[in-house]
Amino acid sequence: MTQLMLTSTVENYLKALLKLSNQGENRVSTGDLAKALHVTPGSATSMIKTLAEAGLAHHKPHYGVLLTEKGHILAVHVVRRHRIIELFLVNVLEMEWDEVHAEAEQLEHVVSDEVITRMDKLLGYPTLDPHGDPIPTADGMFIERPLHPLSQCEAGQRVQVARISDQNSSFLKFAESHGLTLGATIEVQRRNEHAESITLQSNEEEITLGFTAANRIEVEFVK
Amino acid sequence: MTQLMLTSTVENYLKALLKLSNQGENRVSTGDLAKALHVTPGSATSMIKTLAEAGLAHHKPHYGVLLTEKGHILAVHVVRRHRIIELFLVNVLEMEWDEVHAEAEQLEHVVSDEVITRMDKLLGYPTLDPHGDPIPTADGMFIERPLHPLSQCEAGQRVQVARISDQNSSFLKFAESHGLTLGATIEVQRRNEHAESITLQSNEEEITLGFTAANRIEVEFVK
DNA sequence: CACTCCTTTTTGATTAGTCAAAAATTATAC
DNA sequence: GTATAATTTTTGACTAATCAAAAAGGAGTG
Ligand SMILES: [Mn+2]
Ligand SMILES: [Mn+2]
Ligand SMILES: [Mn+2]
Ligand SMILES: [Mn+2]
């Protein structure tokens, strides 16, 4: 239970663990963690041990890692900072939604609670970031909405874009240029299972996305 | 001329060198640099060598250090970021002038040029930060005003507070609580050379400062 | 010039985070 | 169930930044 500095590196590991344990089952593999952070498996193993030592993660060697409650709380707070910062950059500094992720990725580690509190207030206590990701509350609660991956929608469905992954800046630019912004209503024209693609009517144009790309978009069904 | 990462540490050394070479003569001693950064002289020596190696400083051993033009330009840009951030925190996020320095000290190393440009625009291209320090222009020019240390003012002089050192948060709180804010007009009642103190009339109250404290305030003369 | 004092530099160690490559372990195939 | 493949862990090495303490250098005094 050695005390551990909450460096940017540590915070990034915690955030990656939170994300990876929410998608898929639960335990996170060393390899997946290493890939997510663009480090070698050896580096990941060594940080996993450090986190376990500090009581922020459980580690069963050769099996997997999982955040402890303490680690989970810290991770959620980093995510909260990240998303509030993103929204602030878009709403107050009028930055593009495709450039704020990289910026927030740095700022999330240095901005004080005081600043986050004031941004939160100025933004009117928002619940969603510019990409439709939920902003956890100050006491660490996520309000998840029941959304559906666009990749799994059926032909004929009318849906509303509710969330787009912020991980890929150029995909965001592409999406926006074809009217795929938050709140936009689109209609699924057809699916092609063999081609693994889905074709949509957005604005006046028809656009076809591979399933992998479509998977980066989540939607709400429209009446 | 080895390429050097511009880490927070390196930027802080550059900033300290800029500051120390402007006040007093020119060359900076290892000891002063070490004191300014709260590191041991050995650490300072080692970073000085690194900076010299990277072409950011000239170093004549046992004599002193000085920024090269390249190092000077980098340092000024860090100062620009610092001061724009401070003003942004006060004007947009409504933080107190005594809490923004510590915050800016972190943010100055991670905020992108894009963000600085937008803050600058939103603030209306300001020339002074919340403590009256000049904000260098984007191309690195300082506009220095002809100010006078309050510590050297004579009895009877009416002066306007134009600049207060931001290094000491509690001094800023103290100053504000006695009406010593930017633009405030005060009158020097008397000096006591033996006590090394100066007594002022500010608002309705009389207040006495030691020369060292008074030295942290710069003023303009009022007709 | 020689001695002292102060400052600077050097040396050796430490910590965080990383990688490359070897070793160990678990999973898969036959 | 043994061989092979994939994953994970370990080991050894490296870099940035630091400190403590020893060594070296410079300035002033007599
Ligand atoms: Mn993001
Ligand atoms: Mn986001
Ligand atoms: Mn400051
Ligand atoms: Mn300032």
Side-chain angles (χ1 to χ4, degrees), chain B residues 167-189:
Chain B
Q167 299 301 302
N168 188 323
S169 172
S170 56
F171 179 70
L172 283 174
K173 272 213 251 308
F174 164 82
E176 184 172 39
S177 75
H178 289 92
L180 298 174
T181 55
L182 291 200
T185 300
I186 56 182
E187 189 174 320
V188 180
Q189 298 296 348

Side-chain angles (χ1 to χ4, degrees), chain B residues 82 86 101 105 129 131 166-167:
Chain B
H82 181 104
E86 281 190 348
H101 178 73
E105 203 55 52
D129 88 352
H131 314 99
D166 64 7
Q167 299 301 302

Side-chain angles (χ1 to χ4, degrees), chain A residues 99-133:
Chain A
E99 48 184 6
V100 296
H101 178 72
E103 192 85 33
E105 203 56 51
Q106 303 303 314
L107 289 169
E108 64 189 3
H109 308 296
V110 299
V111 155
S112 71
D113 286 350
E114 176 68 24
V115 165
I116 290 297
T117 301
R118 287 177 183 272
M119 286 181 172
D120 190 33
K121 184 179 175 189
L122 186 63
L123 293 168
Y125 309 105
T127 58
L128 296 177
D129 87 354
H131 313 99
D133 295 315

